[in-house]
């Protein structure tokens, strides 16, 4: 999804979410390319933090707001998204409880990357275009999303 084509009413909020998606994808790539075990583990923990913060602001603010605006248009997509978040969070909690010494560590991070790639694709190709098509005014939730993100990054939830 090209940011320059997003109308003003959706631009800032969708850009924030798109930037998060990009960052997560980049971290998964770095994890794959990295050779050192210690560096791999620290990249994996960073991606867990980023994804926890991202899914939390979506679940607390973005998704409920869309559902409230138009339950018929967004209900099914958001339910699927929540199920996908739950699978990702389950893997995140397993990864956080493991170390690179564990035989399955690398596989868990790889599978998390695959789940996220699938989920991000659905958001960017189905959910976000629908938000634009339905002309949902997102500017009113921008400040709360930005603030909540900052707060979460500084809280133990993120770690
Ligand atoms: Fe997302
Ligand atoms: Fe999501």
């Amino acid at each position: 999804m090209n940011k320059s084509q997003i109308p003003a009413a959706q631009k800032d909020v969708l850009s924030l979410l798109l930037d998060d998606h990009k960052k997560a994808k980049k971290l998964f790539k770095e994890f794959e390319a990295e050779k050192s075990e210690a560096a791999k583990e620290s990249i994996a923990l960073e991606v867990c933090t980023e994804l926890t913060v991202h899914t939390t602001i979506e679940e607390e603010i973005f998704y409920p707001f869309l559902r409230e605006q138009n339950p018929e248009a967004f209900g099914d997509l958001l339910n699927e998204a929540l199920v996908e978040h739950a699978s990702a969070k389950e893997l995140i909690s397993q990864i956080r409880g493991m170390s690179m010494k564990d035989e399955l560590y690398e596989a868990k991070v790889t599978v998390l990357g695959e789940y996220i790639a699938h989920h991000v694709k659905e958001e960017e190709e189905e959910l976000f275009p629908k938000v634009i098509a339905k002309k949902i005014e997102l500017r009113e939730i921008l400040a709360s999303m930005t603030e909540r993100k900052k707060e979460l990054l500084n809280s133990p939830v993120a770690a």
Side-chain angles (χ1 to χ4, degrees), residues 71-154:
E72 294 76 32
F74 295 109
D76 290 349
L77 272 179
L78 294 174
N79 290 343
E80 270 183 52
L82 288 173
V83 173
E84 289 170 2
H85 279 194
S87 311
K89 283 192 215 165
E90 170 56 33
L91 264 183
I92 287 170
S93 100
Q94 290 180 29
I95 291 164
R96 281 174 163 166
M98 294 165 91
S99 84
M100 266 306 285
K101 304 263 171 288
D102 196 299
E103 218 183 337
L104 290 183
Y105 194 89
E106 188 138 14
K108 301 245 180 196
V109 177
T110 303
V111 171
L112 178 63
E114 288 166 0
Y115 281 180
I116 293 301
H118 167 84
H119 177 68
V120 156
K121 192 169 190 273
E122 289 198 338
E123 287 191 339
E124 294 186 12
E125 290 178 12
E126 291 180 52
L127 184 64
F128 296 178
K130 204 166 203 177
V131 170
I132 294 169
K134 298 282 177 194
K135 299 188 167 62
I136 305 296
E137 174 54 76
L138 292 178
R139 278 173 287 206
E140 61 187 275
I141 58 167
L142 177 65
S144 56
M145 285 180 70
T146 312
E147 269 162 45
R148 187 68 179 123
K149 191 178 169 184
K150 250 191 243 156
E151 189 180 276
L152 286 164
L153 279 168
N154 292 309

Side-chain angles (χ1 to χ4, degrees), residues 21 54-55 58 63 81 85 119 123:
H21 291 171
H54 179 80
T55 53
E58 285 185 340
Y63 292 175
H85 279 194
H119 177 68
E123 287 191 339

